[in-house]
Amino acid sequence: MLNIPNEKVRGHQRVPSDTKEFHEATKRDALMRLKKDLDHLLETVEESRKCGVQKEMCGFEALYHRFLQEDGPSVEWDRIEKLPEGAVKDYSTIKSPQEGHIRDMLDKLVVVKLNGGLGTSMGCHGPKSVIPVRNDLTFLDLTVQQIEHLNKKYNANVPLVLMNSFNTDVDTEKVIRKYKGFQVHIYTFNQSCYPRISRDSLLPIAKDFDIENDIEAWYPPGHGDFYQSFQNSGLLRKFIEEGREYCFLSNIDNLGATVDIKILNRLIGDDRQGDKPIEFVMEVTDKTRADVKGGTLINYENKLRLLEIAQVPKEHVDDFKSVKTFKFFNTNNIWARLESIERVLNAKTMNMEIIVNNKTLDNGMRVIQLETAVGAAMKCFDGGIGINVPRSRFLPVKKTSDLLLVMSNLYSLKYGSLVMSPQRMFPTTPLVKLGDNHFSKVKEFLSRFANIPDLIELDHLTVSGDVTFGRGVSLRGTVIIIANHGDRIDIPAGAILENKIVSGNMRILDH
């Protein structure tokens, strides 16, 4: 329980502690009411699921308790220190392993993909991981291909673990049946399912545990939930008992997040330094103007930790976005030592900053989701480091503008991995902005291209309005195409646009 001061408030006397005592009493009341509500919800769970659900609700209650206790920002801006020398290693300084050691290293690895997201923001139904991204292959197909290639090449046995949410679990289980004949063991587990809280009452809006019938009352609590759910599933202990040492965890929509043998060599190979193991690695990469909102690494209270924009006081947001002050951002490619995860969980010292996500449901109800980020656990581990990796390890597909890049001739596909064309002079990817009204949904986006244009020499593309592209179009340098409202622009087949602005109305009609 919370510590509540035991002083009596007399009459209408106004003292500074009045407000504090009021808040403390409100918090205590909220926690007691929550416990009552959770007990009521648990009564509606079928007996076979009760044990697992109780564990989840204990996790939710602990998160809620911390949410009530936290007052003010989790980071005091003036106490942020400069990153110590050597805290972020440069990828180029890490040694490649000897060929003969690679198999042994791979057999100590588990690959985890965060697979809880839906494709709704891109107009698709079901898990995002089953959206075709290249040659009719989905995110999941590419991931399985990558790991099978490793297993075949080195005669290794790297398992693939998918962390699903209640939104993606059923569909994913159907899809993974097709990989039965592949040389990859696939495991799945579900992250927690937590009740959304009313912003007014601070109590769950769910009335029972019939999640499918009231799906808006529930949510998956962010990827920081990985650690506890991984342990609850029994997989963490299983892999430790098998002699596996590290997991490599990343978002399934980051097509650059492949198993990196050099980083693995730094953790358990001949490039390992010192007696103490590295317990946690966060891959970071250089910030550009496109990444100013991305989480960054800071030194705080003598520990490396992740700082997200949501934790930054309003008056310091511009400082946070400064590429000079914070040079790196978090790719969400994480390497963590399995025994260390178990130790931190068992000691109950996993203490990640809470992200309060405010939402408004379709019926107008304002709710709160309490979430955590997987990288925020860094401060809970000993001997954590950052590794400044090439930009090629960060290739997320969040929007159709990203899809345009990965479907184009900028990349070729090799064993499930995207490799940038050697014909491109600069290793950076072009900056692409496509108008939301006509390009945000995958189906409509694809209908606007007879085929994907040549982008090898493109630096910047902005497209807005009703625009279509004919076959064999080539875009170079900076190209801006803007069709005004009511107008339409058809870029003709074979057109080469280099450093051009196209605006107004341009239609090619059959006759």
Side-chain angles (χ1 to χ4, degrees), residues 398-406 432-434 439 445:
K398 303 287 184 195
K399 297 179 173 178
T400 51
S401 50
D402 304 318
L403 205 52
L404 179 69
L405 295 175
V406 301
V432 174
K433 294 177 182 175
L434 301 178
F439 288 87
F445 157 83

Side-chain angles (χ1 to χ4, degrees), residues 343-484:
R343 183 197 77 232
V344 171
L345 287 171
N346 290 346
K348 294 189 166 36
T349 52
M350 187 69 81
N351 177 25
M352 292 169 278
E353 284 78 20
I354 295 171
I355 301 160
V356 179
N357 192 349
N358 292 300
K359 299 240 175 198
T360 303
L361 303 184
D362 290 344
N363 63 5
M365 184 184 282
R366 299 184 313 154
V367 295
I368 291 172
Q369 294 181 182
L370 303 180
E371 302 174 9
T372 53
V374 70
M378 186 175 204
K379 63 176 184 180
C380 309
F381 292 87
D382 298 327
I385 61 167
I387 295 181
N388 185 14
V389 296
R391 184 74 185 204
S392 57
R393 290 192 58 72
F394 184 67
L395 191 59
V397 180
K398 303 287 184 195
K399 297 179 173 178
T400 51
S401 50
D402 304 318
L403 205 52
L404 179 69
L405 295 175
V406 301
M407 292 176 87
S408 76
N409 61 343
L410 277 172
Y411 296 98
S412 57
L413 202 54
K414 198 174 180 186
Y415 307 118
S417 298
L418 289 178
V419 182
M420 189 173 274
S421 167
Q423 289 176 278
R424 185 162 174 81
M425 285 177 67
F426 307 104
T428 53
T429 49
L431 196 60
V432 174
K433 294 177 182 175
L434 301 178
D436 282 345
N437 289 345
H438 296 84
F439 288 87
S440 65
K441 306 292 184 240
V442 171
K443 195 174 175 184
E444 192 177 9
F445 157 83
L446 291 172
S447 73
R448 293 187 169 273
F449 295 91
N451 68 351
I452 301 297
D454 161 21
L455 305 182
I456 288 284
E457 294 178 41
L458 179 70
D459 298 322
H460 183 128
L461 172 67
T462 296
V463 182
S464 177
D466 187 358
V467 179
T468 63
F469 293 80
R471 189 167 288 279
V473 171
S474 183
L475 304 173
R476 301 170 187 175
T478 296
V479 178
I480 298 169
I481 307 168
I482 297 173
N484 299 325

Side-chain angles (χ1 to χ4, degrees), residues 110 112-114 226 247-251 332-335 374:
V110 177
V112 181
K113 292 287 180 183
L114 302 171
F226 158 73
C247 65
F248 169 53
L249 178 144
S250 61
N251 297 342
N332 220 37
N333 299 346
I334 305 286
W335 302 72
V374 70

Side-chain angles (χ1 to χ4, degrees), residues 11 26 48 59 63 82 85-86 120 150 212 228 232 242 253 265 269 272 355 386 388 418 429-430 462 499:
T26 319
S48 61
L63 195 64
K82 204 176 171 195
E85 195 70 38
T120 43
L150 272 182
E212 280 181 31
Q228 192 65 64
N232 289 349
E242 282 180 8
D253 64 7
N265 192 42
R272 185 180 155 177
I355 301 160
N388 185 14
L418 289 178
T429 49
T462 296
N499 296 324

